[in-house]
Amino acid sequence: MFAKLSALVSSAPSFPYQLVGEPYRTAWGGWKHFKGTSNSDGSAVSIFRTSSTNKQDPKLTSARNGVKRLRTLRHPNVLSFKDTVELDERGETVIYLVTEPVTPLLDVLQTIDMTGPARQEYVAMGLYHIAKAVSFINSDCKLIHANICMRAVVVTETLDWRLHGLDLMTEHMATGDLPLMSASWMVGAQYKPAEIAKCEWGAVQQGPPWAVDSWGLGCLMQEAFNGQEMGSMEELRNTRPIPKPVLQDYQRLLSSQPARRLNPAKLAESSVLKNKLVDTIAFLENLAVKDSSEKDLFFKRLPGAIPDLPLPVLRRKLLPMLAQALTFGGAPAVALGTILQIGSSMDEAEFTQRVVPCVSKLFTSTDRSIRRSLLENIDAYGKHLSQSVVEEQIYPNVTTGFTDSNAYLRELTLKSMLTLAPKLSQRTLSNSLLKFLAKLQVDEEAAIRANTTILLGNLAPHLSEATCKRVMLNAFTRALKDSFPPARAAGLKAMMATKQSYAAEEAAGRVIPCVAPLAVDPVSEVRHAALATLDAFLKLLQEHSAATDTAAGAADGASQQASGGVGWSAGLGSNLGWALSSFGGAKAKETATGEMSSSRTSTSAASGTTSTAFGRPPSPPRPGAQPASSPQSSSGAAPDTFGSTHSLHDADGDGWHDSDGDADVQEEDAEEVAARQRLGRLSTRNSSAQSSKPPAASSTAATTGGGMARQSGPSTSGRHIAPPKLSQDDSWAAELDNDDSWDSIDQKSAAGTTGNGRSSAGRRGRGRLGVTARGGRLGASRAGSANRGGMKLGAAKLAKSEPDFAF
């Protein structure tokens, strides 16, 4: 706490910067060069530090002179001054000089990846800039730097050379104790011209102001092209590193006579240091004073010149200049293509570091041509954009294009979302982007509507499940109603691309009903897309059905294993099989019984027996008379239809006779006998016709034939035989719980119609088989069947021909 309080009341200045790491290997004079950062904003700076225990040390005096000159001297090629502080630290006087972040030239030349002509072009560009700075100091300011060499040059982040080390700077015509005179010992012997080495200060003042610095510029040229510092003055005679176009000027700079040395201003204006790189950089530096025609011509030729320029300079120097020119409106929009051309050679990290900041700044521009160029080329840089950059810097500026009055910009903005949307948060997608897309889906431009649907289909994987269910299907079904055929086709293809997002209920209830009408669309592309979509969703429904069946089977198996019984599905299958077996058994029984009845009828007809089922009951025979139509066996028994024999005594006791000992039986009338014979022949023909019908139709004859067979035999001779009562066993027809309304009245003949138009069953008065008095239907009435617990349909009912049962 006391330390903080002392700091508050202390009047000593504080140093608001932080030194980082160790100093560089080389620095001019008595300075040490450090990397540093600002405590206020963390920005990078360079910090030069010198110290001495004696405040009046000539080194500190020269340092103070250099700080003063650097503070007041402003030139693009002179190191930029930021701050300075003089402090007392641990008994020493320390001077801090804070400048823009720079690196010693020697370190740059040793680490930069440039060789051959590219390196020579870069060195020539640096010398050109230093020549301009020296020309400004000598010609314009009438000052002498007095120690130009490699250590007096530093390089910025953009690979620009900057002149510094102004500690010995002296006015050309000044007199008295000059810094150059008092601190000439700070200049290395290899860099001193003859007049300085001999301390001929009059010759310095009599010569041109550039004489001393021209010599130093020649020394710098030797070191720069050679890539290392000079060890002695004799190295100046080595001209092998010097390019031939520069050799003549190099020699003129190192003339032994000060008056004959080359003026740096003339060197900067000559063509020896000018090349394609220098011209390109020079044009961009003076872009503000160029007219539109010059700009258009320059940027039209620039893409073709890029491959011939040094790649490090393109990345670190040219690219920021282009971005700045675009941001402030000095360059046309086509310059963005050059920026992206330069960035294409970078790796991911470098592109993110150098290109992305430039592009992000350009999105703030309101110039439509720049916005158009940015959107047209978004595929070239979009993959390098981070989520935070897109969310915070780019997307807020891009959204203005959704509502732009220019349709082309709206469409470009829409297409850009294919690259930017996957890097947006779910909140931005749901609350912002989808609202813009909903408006664009009803845009007046048909192409925009179609592209909006396509974009929604591509965005589906990046949206949450809830958002997809809420938005996608509604948007796609809206597109199906669009009057623009590509929009309808886009909606169909988007549905098919996102089919896995829909539940089976949505596919069956919403998708297929909306898609089906487009299967007859007049546009072939839409028709084909609709059919393909229907196929895809039908397959989806089939897969869902199969999965449901599999799950149900697994559940039934688990329930069977748990309960030890048969599952519902298995029980249903067995019951259904039983029902089909019952139908088959009934038809088989019907067929077999019909065949047996037909056999009985044929046998009875062949024996000449007259059936009472086709006429009135016979008159009682005379006592002791034998009917002629009843053949007997030698044993006194009569064979029945099934081949068995019955004695007369047995026949009398079977319950089929009304009266066994009637003495009042009258003799049959001759006409009645003839009538019965005619009816017998008719019965024979009917029996033949019934046997030729399907088995179901033969069942009627089986019932009547059964009655005929029981009446044939000796026991019927000359007597009235009562009709047999149909027992439960005789009624072999199946029991069906329905009415017989589907029967036809034509089945009367199948029930055994007699000659006078009445059925045999009706004549018996039973009402079980045959036609009822009121309804004219076959079988028992509902009133009679109710007491028996259900309607029983006899042979007459089943005589109706039925089709085979099939699914």
Side-chain angles (χ1 to χ4, degrees), residues 223-270:
E223 291 179 325
F225 282 113
N226 196 27
Q228 61 185 4
E229 294 180 337
M230 291 171 50
S232 65
M233 189 179 294
E234 296 297 325
E235 294 182 13
L236 294 174
R237 300 181 183 274
N238 182 16
T239 59
R240 287 180 299 178
I242 309 300
K244 291 182 179 181
V246 186
L247 183 57
Q248 185 177 0
D249 290 339
Y250 169 73
Q251 293 172 345
R252 291 178 62 188
L253 290 171
L254 297 174
S255 176
S256 59
Q257 298 180 12
R260 299 183 61 180
R261 292 171 188 164
L262 180 64
N263 187 347
K266 293 184 178 179
L267 177 64
E269 294 174 358
S270 67

Side-chain angles (χ1 to χ4, degrees), residues 498-510:
T498 58
K499 64 179 181 180
Q500 299 300 332
S501 302
Y502 309 128
E505 293 78 7
E506 292 177 323
R510 296 189 63 186

Side-chain angles (χ1 to χ4, degrees), residues 654-656 658 710 722-731 764 766 768:
D654 60 4
W656 284 70
D658 293 336
R710 289 180 181 271
K725 296 181 179 180
L726 295 178
S727 64
Q728 186 68 25
D729 295 335
D730 293 328
S731 179
R764 297 187 189 101
R766 300 289 182 178
R768 293 174 65 95

